[in-house]
Amino acid sequence: MVRNKNTLFNVVLAVMYAITVPSLAALGESRLGVYISMFALEYFVAAAVLRPRRTTVDFVAAALLLAFSLAVTLRVLEVLSS
Amino acid sequence: MEGYNAAGVVISIVGAAVAAYSYFVALSVPLTALGVGMLVVGASIAITPAKPVPGRAIKMLLESSVANTEALLEEVGATGKAFYVPVKGGVYAYVPLESASSSPPRPTEAPKGLVTEHGGVRYLVLMPPLPRLGEASNLEEAVTEVLVDLTELCDSVKVARGEGLVVELKNPRARVGAGRFRSVMGSLEACAVATVVASVLNRVVVVEAEADHGNRRIVKLKVL
């Protein structure tokens, strides 16, 4: 039994990531941006639902948002240039 | 650093190593993603408070504070509604000691004594049990931060502006049976909401009414 929502958040995140990686790999996904975008989405959904406490600024969220933005931008540029 | 957080740092380092090796040597995207995932989860563990103050402990402290305030209000025989007044970064509850005062006190500096006088009316000046915590500037976010995230006094908060301000609290949990406190300051949750609202809006606030509807409590505030 997970005792608090902070720990629950980390457990949920790890479980979601552990499901995401083999699922996308099984689908033959070979773009790293897709994996990272999924990680970012899952992180923000779990954070919105469980609202974990943080000891510092949530730099993980900032880094994931940046990575997600980068992946989306690259994908858009790729589509536009093709 | 607690062992729990240190474990997060270790997981992050291992994840970064796995990601780098998989990307540059093994040339495997799924394994690289696995490494990145470990890096994220590890970093998340590293910034998670290892021993947060349990909400239950906070509630017990608040309830004891309410009991003390209740005794004081009983002693002075206060019956008028408290004004939550923001003064220089803090919020004070001004409880009228005489016939109900309709005009709120507007102090320019922090009160120095337990009893103070404004506009010919004497007020008992109290610090509300729950000061404003957190730094959110949006009203709903600030109330949520204090009542949901930090003290776990309720599950969620909705703020609506109409005539005054209406705040809906889902599953309020404090069970404080202090009658005088409730009639003067509002319930513990209403008191906390009024304190946060007064601080965020920098206006005087009064708990006008509150009512329970099933698992929800509706708090009506008057902003003066």
Side-chain angles (χ1 to χ4, degrees):
Chain A
M1 178 71 184
V2 179
R3 290 177 63 191
N4 67 59
K5 62 180 184 174
N6 304 316
T7 308
L8 181 65
F9 171 80
N10 292 327
V11 171
V12 166
L13 195 66
V15 169
M16 286 200 296
Y17 286 6
I19 292 170
T20 301
V21 174
S23 302
L24 289 177
L27 290 170
E29 186 53 65
S30 59
R31 289 167 297 176
L32 189 57
V34 175
Y35 289 87
I36 292 175
S37 300
M38 285 300 296
F39 289 168
L41 286 173
E42 288 163 353
Y43 187 93
F44 286 113
V45 168
V49 172
L50 294 168
R51 304 178 68 91
R53 289 186 202 169
R54 297 310 200 192
T55 52
T56 62
V57 174
D58 195 353
F59 64 84
V60 183
L64 282 171
L65 184 64
L66 193 70
F68 177 73
S69 308
L70 195 69
V72 170
T73 308
L74 289 175
R75 183 70 185 134
V76 169
L77 288 175
E78 199 179 303
V79 169
L80 288 176
S81 63
S82 63
Chain B
M1 185 181 277
E2 296 280 342
Y4 180 74
N5 301 110
V9 173
V10 171
I11 293 170
S12 284
I13 292 169
V14 171
V18 168
Y21 179 81
S22 307
Y23 190 77
F24 294 111
V25 181
L27 305 176
S28 166
V29 170
L31 280 180
T32 307
L34 189 68
V36 172
M38 285 173 71
L39 179 65
V40 172
V41 172
S44 174
I45 292 170
I47 60 170
T48 299
K51 291 177 184 167
V53 181
R56 202 170 147 199
I58 293 177
K59 264 186 283 175
M60 285 169 70
L61 289 171
L62 288 172
E63 285 171 9
S64 121
S65 171
V66 166
N68 285 331
T69 309
E70 163 80 5
L72 188 59
L73 292 172
E74 282 287 353
E75 186 65 30
V76 299
T79 52
K81 293 263 185 197
F83 295 98
Y84 291 86
V85 183
V87 186
K88 293 198 169 172
V91 174
Y92 295 86
Y94 279 68
V95 181
L97 290 176
E98 285 134 26
S99 58
S101 166
S102 56
S103 61
R106 306 270 184 193
T108 50
E109 57 185 39
K112 288 185 179 126
L114 191 62
V115 177
T116 184
E117 194 172 322
H118 281 278
V121 179
R122 289 189 313 132
Y123 295 92
L124 178 67
V125 183
L126 300 169
M127 286 292 283
L130 196 64
R132 193 212 163 173
L133 304 164
E135 292 167 354
S137 55
N138 174 286
L139 196 55
E140 191 165 300
E141 274 178 25
V143 176
T144 302
E145 199 172 2
V146 173
L147 271 86
V148 180
D149 298 344
L150 296 173
T151 59
E152 298 174 11
L153 282 173
C154 64
D155 284 345
S156 68
V157 171
K158 280 184 198 164
V159 178
R161 287 169 192 261
E163 283 180 33
L165 209 64
V166 179
V167 181
E168 184 185 290
L169 311 170
K170 189 180 173 193
N171 288 331
R173 293 197 192 90
R175 296 281 175 258
V176 182
R180 179 82 67 150
F181 183 91
R182 202 180 170 108
S183 68
V184 172
M185 311 273 286
S187 64
L188 181 55
E189 291 90 349
C191 176
V193 169
T195 307
V196 175
V197 170
S199 174
V200 172
L201 299 181
N202 200 27
R203 303 266 298 274
V204 178
V205 171
V206 176
V207 178
E208 201 172 19
E210 57 183 306
D212 289 335
H213 300 281
N215 64 346
R216 290 168 196 277
R217 179 169 299 162
I218 310 291
V219 178
K220 287 184 182 171
L221 302 174
K222 190 193 276 183
V223 181
L224 304 168

